[in-house]
Every structure is written in structure tokens, then in C-alpha cells.
């Protein structure tokens, strides 16, 4: 078995481990560790039988960081898909990366030193158990630092699903007319399917999607919107359907310190519009838009969402916002 095959097989085992827990919640992860710590015997047999090739592959300079990145990405996807309002800082991500580096280093030691498959099996199961304990400690510290509460009722462990919608629906709710779209177009929080960007690119538009979970395809940037340099005078149109403003609203209601970052990023987004450029988003931000109305360079309009049965609780924010930057001649 060559090195490429070993790597594909290792990646497939990592994916399988996450898929096996697809029906679980973040609360399960914190309070029912035994479910997540299980190790498939076939994976143990594979690692043991191919230990020489695995060790050879690990000796290549890029392998450990490649596998750590794969685990880190899979963990972020798993976590953010379960609660879209979680948002890890760079410091947290650096610590998470260390947890995976440690896992692979312990696995290597075990592969080098175990004298039989039975001993490897016992040792490997213990490594996975300790690894999960470290993951729980780290995630638990994140939850408690931001919101001290017992895990049984901790709000961060609630499932808050992240809906994704068809391109025609998103464009209709945002009140976007294709004929008046200016390029280049940025879809901020385009989703893991990137529906709008794919659709617009098929129509010949120069469109880019940005999302921390965006597809790994041309035309998409996988990034956190807080880490992006929104360069001034760049975009003809910026779209954000149930993404940036949804998260700003949630922070405004539940995490005021984070809300300040959203306010700053919102202003950076406006500055990144070309003259005459347009920012479309929904839901609305009634607590923030009066400030934008006072800025001389921008004209803000709102349009009610024409959908039936909007629940009373979200009627006040159920509108589309269209902000046009003043055109300089
Ligand atoms: C409800 S989904 C909407 C996706 C898409 N616009 C749609 O309507 O189908 C919200 C998106 O915002 C993205 N998101 C949340 N926080 C983010 C962040 N800090 N940086 C980049 N994307 C983020 C999520 O990954 C998710 O794909």
C-alpha cells in the first residue's frame, strides 16, 4: 500500500468517526463521553497491519500538519453545524490544534513501541479516551468562560441549526434584481452549499462566496468574517442572507462584547463597497440601522418580507435592508 493510499484511508477513518456521531448533539458530547470514545476494531486492525507504511507516511514533513488540519476542520464543521452561534477565537483554535498534535504524536509512539496487536489495541483506546477528555476540557472551558452554567442546561450545547436556502429564494428575500447587480459580488456567509454564488456564476456574474464552512471550490473563500480584510472600495454588491445580520442580532441579544465586533465589521463592510455599491441583507437590525441612516455617504432602504405566516416574535426584524453607497462622479 503506497503513501497516498495510506493517507486516503486515514482520512476516510477520520470522516467515518465524525459520521458515526452525526445524530448526536454537543450536549451528548459533553455528558456522554463513552459514546464518542468508542474505537472501531477494524481501524485498529488497519493501523496495526499497516504500521510500517503509516510510520513511513508520518515521517514525511507535511503529514502531521495535514492530518491535524483535517481533524480541526472536521471538528469545526461538526460543532458549528450543531450550533451556528458558536464562534471560536484564534487562541482557542491554536489550543485545539495542539490537542490534535498530541493525539497523533501519542499514536505514533504507540505504533512504534507496542509489541502486539492486543497491546496496541489497549493503548490506542486509552489514547483516544484521553484525547476526548482533553477535547471536553477545552470546549467546557470555552462554554464556562462565556456563560457559566451546568452542562445539562448550558445554552451553547443547544442545537441551533443553520438552514441553507435555494438561490432564487435568497435573492427574492434580499430583494435583489439580477439586472441591477454590480460586480464583483460578495456573498458573505454563503453557506456550506454556496447556492447563490454557484447560481450567479452560472449566469456569468463575477461572484465570490465567503463562509467559515464554504465549499472547497473555485469562487469560494473559507474564512471567518472577523478575520477578513474588507478592503475599501472593492465590492459592487455584498449579499448576506440570514448570515451576518442574524449573527449580529444574536450577539446584540446574548453577547454584548461580541456585538461590538459586529458593529465594527459592519462598518468595514460598508467601506468595502465601491462608490454606488450596494449591501443587501436580511434580517434587519432595528437597533443599529438608525446609526447608518445618519451617515452621509449611505442611503438605507428597507422592504418588508412578503412571506405568509411570519411568527409575531420575529416580525420586527423580518425585512430586507438595501444600503447604497453614494456615487462619486
Ligand atoms: C443560516 S446560514 C445561511 C447560509 C446562506 N446565506 C443561506 O441563506 O442559505 C449562516 C451562515 O453564516 C456562516 N457564518 C456564521 N458565522 C460566521 C463567521 N464568523 N464567519 C464566516 N461565516 C460565518 C455559517 O457558517 C453559515 O453558513
Amino acid at each position: 500500500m503506497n503513501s497516498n493510499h495510506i493517507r486516503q484511508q486515514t482520512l476516510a477513518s477520520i470522516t467515518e468517526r465524525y459520521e458515526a456521531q452525526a445524530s448526536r448533539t454537543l450536549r451528548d458530547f459533553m455528558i456522554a463521553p463513552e459514546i464518542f470514545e468508542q474505537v472501531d476494531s477494524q481501524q485498529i486492525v488497519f493501523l496495526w497491519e499497516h504500521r510500517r507504511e503509516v510510520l513511513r507516511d508520518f515521517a514525511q514533513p507535511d503529514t502531521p500538519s495535514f492530518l491535524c488540519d483535517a481533524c480541526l476542520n472536521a471538528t469545526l464543521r461538526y460543532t458549528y453545524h450543531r450550533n451556528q452561534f458558536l464562534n471560536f477565537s484564534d487562541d482557542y483554535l491554536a489550543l485545539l490544534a495542539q490537542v490534535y498534535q498530541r493525539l497523533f504524536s501519542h499514536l505514533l509512539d504507540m505504533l512504534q513501541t507496542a509489541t502486539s496487536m492486543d497491546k496496541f489495541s489497549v493503548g490506542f483506546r486509552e489514547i483516544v479516551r484521553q484525547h476526548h477528555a482533553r477535547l471536553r476540557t477545552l470546549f467546557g472551558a470555552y462554554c464556562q468562560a462565556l456563560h457559566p452554567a451546568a452542562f445539562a442546561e448550558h445554552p451553547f450545547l443547544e442545537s441551533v441549526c443553520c438552514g441553507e436556502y435555494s438561490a432564487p429564494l435568497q435573492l427574492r428575500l434580499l430583494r435583489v434584481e439580477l439586472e441591477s447587480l454590480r460586480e464583483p459580488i460578495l456573498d458573505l456567509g454563503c453557506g456550506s452549499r454556496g447556492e447563490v454564488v454557484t447560481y450567479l456564476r452560472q449566469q456569468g456574474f463575477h461572484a465570490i462566496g465567503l463562509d467559515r464552512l464554504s465549499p472547497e471550490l473555485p469562487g469560494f473563500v473559507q474564512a471567518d468574517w472577523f478575520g477578513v480584510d474588507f478592503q475599501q472600495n472593492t465590492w459592487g454588491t455584498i449579499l448576506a442572507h440570514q448570515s451576518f445580520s442574524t449573527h449580529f442580532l444574536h450577539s446584540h441579544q446574548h453577547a454584548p462584547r461580541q456585538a461590538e465586533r459586529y458593529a465594527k465589521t459592519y462598518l468595514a463592510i460598508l467601506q468595502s463597497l465601491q462608490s454606488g455599491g450596494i449591501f443587501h441583507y436580511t434580517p434587519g437590525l432595528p437597533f443599529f440601522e438608525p446609526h447608518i441612516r445618519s451617515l452621509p455617504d449611505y442611503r438605507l432602504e428597507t422592504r418588508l418580507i412578503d412571506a405568509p405566516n411570519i411568527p409575531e416574535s420575529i416580525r420586527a426584524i423580518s425585512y430586507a435592508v438595501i444600503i447604497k453607497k453614494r456615487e462619486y462622479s
Side-chain angles (χ1 to χ4, degrees), residues 87 162-165 170 189 191 211-212 223-225 241-242 247:
N87 194 357
C162 186
E164 295 201 22
Y165 304 88
Q170 292 189 56
D211 198 296
R212 60 187 181 183
D224 190 309
W225 50 50
H241 178 260
Q242 294 207 4
H247 284 256

Side-chain angles (χ1 to χ4, degrees), residues 136-243:
R136 279 196 308 280
T137 304
L138 187 59
F139 184 47
Y142 165 85
C143 295
Q144 294 303 333
L146 293 175
H147 187 110
F151 289 129
E153 64 242 18
H154 201 290
F156 290 10
L157 305 181
E158 301 296 336
S159 294
V160 184
C161 98
C162 186
E164 295 201 22
Y165 304 88
S166 71
L169 180 64
Q170 292 189 56
L171 294 172
R172 181 163 72 78
L173 295 175
L174 287 169
R175 300 300 188 105
V176 169
E177 311 282 350
L178 285 195
E179 313 71 61
S180 51
L181 271 177
R182 283 177 178 239
E183 300 168 280
I185 302 160
L186 173 66
D187 185 7
L188 189 61
C190 62
S192 61
R193 300 207 301 263
E195 301 268 351
V196 163
V197 172
T198 305
Y199 173 79
L200 292 177
R201 286 170 79 91
Q202 281 163 355
Q203 309 291 313
F205 287 101
H206 177 194
I208 304 285
L210 184 147
D211 198 296
R212 60 187 181 183
L213 302 177
S214 78
E216 286 174 12
L217 292 172
F220 292 95
V221 178
Q222 215 171 78
D224 190 309
W225 50 50
F226 290 127
V228 171
D229 177 8
F230 289 96
Q231 294 181 355
Q232 300 206 354
N233 305 316
T234 302
W235 302 101
T237 310
I238 299 180
L239 309 173
H241 178 260
Q242 294 207 4
S243 51

Side-chain angles (χ1 to χ4, degrees), residues 48-61:
W48 180 252
E49 287 184 347
H50 296 281
R51 60 192 179 282
R52 279 183 200 84
E53 294 101 307
V54 173
L55 287 170
R56 210 176 307 129
D57 186 38
F58 262 83
Q60 309 217 14

Side-chain angles (χ1 to χ4, degrees), residues 226 244 248 258-269 287-288 291-292:
F226 290 127
F244 186 79
F248 190 173
Q258 178 89 329
E260 267 177 46
R261 283 182 96 191
Y262 274 98
K264 282 193 186 131
T265 307
Y266 184 124
L267 297 176
I269 291 169
F287 61 91
F288 196 65
H291 171 59
I292 304 302

